Amino acid sequence: MKVIIDTNGLMIPVQFKVDIFSELERLGYDERIVPQAVINEIKILVKRCRGENRTAAKVALSLADRCAIVDRTGSADDVILQLAHDTGAAVLTNDVGLVERLKEADVTVVRLRQKNHLAIT
């Protein structure tokens, strides 16, 4: 199954010490997709953030290399919503606003639960 990973999804490993790739595999997601819009958003975070958030953003960039990068740019949330609609993929995110939009569009959402594992909502 396919899953699109949002910016904050790629930052989970540093922020919460959760291996998102093994968790996604446990849930049955073997194809990981990251839109270029998310990569662009992470690059901005690397420049703007300091401390742990900057480290998390740098790690997120390296983790994105383990995913299929899809060349779609624009607002990351809009791109993710459209890409999920086009591909039927689920989305890994903890962004509350994006979660609401995805639920309205009947897209499967994968979220961090209890700060130690991922779950399908």
Side-chain angles (χ1 to χ4, degrees), residues 48-106:
R48 290 187 183 167
C49 293
R50 297 287 174 249
E52 186 177 327
N53 286 337
R54 184 174 189 184
T55 301
K58 285 182 175 184
V59 170
L61 270 180
S62 68
L63 292 176
D65 290 340
R66 296 171 57 183
C67 304
I69 307 296
V70 177
D71 189 23
R72 292 203 188 179
T73 58
S75 162
D77 288 1
D78 293 343
V79 167
I80 288 168
L81 187 61
Q82 187 62 51
L83 189 58
H85 181 264
D86 294 347
T87 63
V91 177
L92 168 58
T93 187
N94 280 322
D95 179 316
V96 176
L98 180 56
V99 167
E100 289 305 316
R101 290 178 66 190
L102 292 166
K103 285 182 179 179
E104 288 174 12
D106 203 30

Side-chain angles (χ1 to χ4, degrees), residues 3 24 27 29 90-93 108-112 118-121:
V3 64
L24 288 170
L27 295 172
Y29 295 103
V91 177
L92 168 58
T93 187
T108 301
V109 178
V110 178
R111 299 181 76 180
L112 181 69
L118 299 180
I120 299 170
T121 60

